[in-house]
Structure formats: structure tokens, C-alpha cells
Amino acid sequence: MRLQTLVREAPANYRCALDGELMLDPVQSPHGHIFERASLVRVLGVAAGRCPLTGHALALQDCARLPGLRREVSIWVREQYSRGRSAAQSAKGADAHLLS
């Protein structure tokens, strides 16, 4: 499975509120928004320490890391890759059967 397809098919709660990318290191702001940590770091540098969604003052250290969500995303990604590999192997087997 291609990474672009994986991101596009990811559940909304596994994607960053800023850029829609799959979250590998999710953090939650005190206002309840969930971001990919690296994306938030970039935006806070440009937004002068303001939450890009609320406009309230925000520092990275105010955000809680979410190890449970990180595990969920990781499991989901592994499952998607396993399904992709299984489907590819099934297709190869079907092609081989048709050719014999």
C-alpha cells in the first residue's frame, strides 16, 4: 500500500488537525486539539506561540503527549500494510493460477 493512500484512508482522529497528515507523535493542546508534534512545532515558530486553531497563547510544553493514540495509529498502520501485502500476494497467486 502506498503511503499517500494510507494517509488518505486514515480515520480522521489519526490525522493532524493542522495538515491532515497521519500522526506519528500526537500531542493534545490544553484546548483539546490534537496535532502531530512536528507540525505543531513548525507552526508555533511561525505563529509566534499562538494556537493556529484558536489563536490562544500556546507553548509545546503545554501540550500532552498521547502514547495511547500513538499506539493506535501504529497498530492501524501495521494492519493496513498487512492487508495490502495479503491482497498483493493473493493477486499474484491468482495471476500465476491463470497463467498455468
Side-chain angles (χ1 to χ4, degrees):
M1 175 174 285
R2 294 180 55 165
L3 185 57
Q4 293 167 334
T5 302
L6 187 67
V7 172
R8 188 173 53 247
E9 293 177 357
N13 60 317
Y14 291 173
R15 295 191 311 250
C16 177
L18 293 173
D19 57 18
E21 294 295 322
L22 196 61
M23 293 185 289
L24 303 176
D25 189 7
V27 295
Q28 185 171 20
S29 76
H31 309 107
H33 300 288
I34 300 176
F35 306 104
E36 167 59 31
R37 188 174 189 275
S39 297
L40 184 59
V41 167
R42 279 193 302 277
V43 170
L44 288 175
V46 174
R50 297 257 171 221
C51 175
L53 300 181
T54 66
H56 293 108
L58 180 64
L60 187 60
Q61 59 266 26
D62 297 333
C63 298
R65 282 195 145 141
L66 301 172
L69 181 56
R70 182 179 182 161
R71 271 190 301 279
E72 284 180 40
V73 172
S74 179
I75 290 167
W76 183 84
V77 167
R78 282 194 300 269
E79 287 173 353
Q80 301 311 303
Y81 273 116
S82 291
R83 286 184 192 151
R85 279 197 304 270
S86 294
Q89 289 171 349
S90 294
K92 281 182 183 179
D95 289 346
H97 178 71
L98 292 174
L99 294 174
S100 58

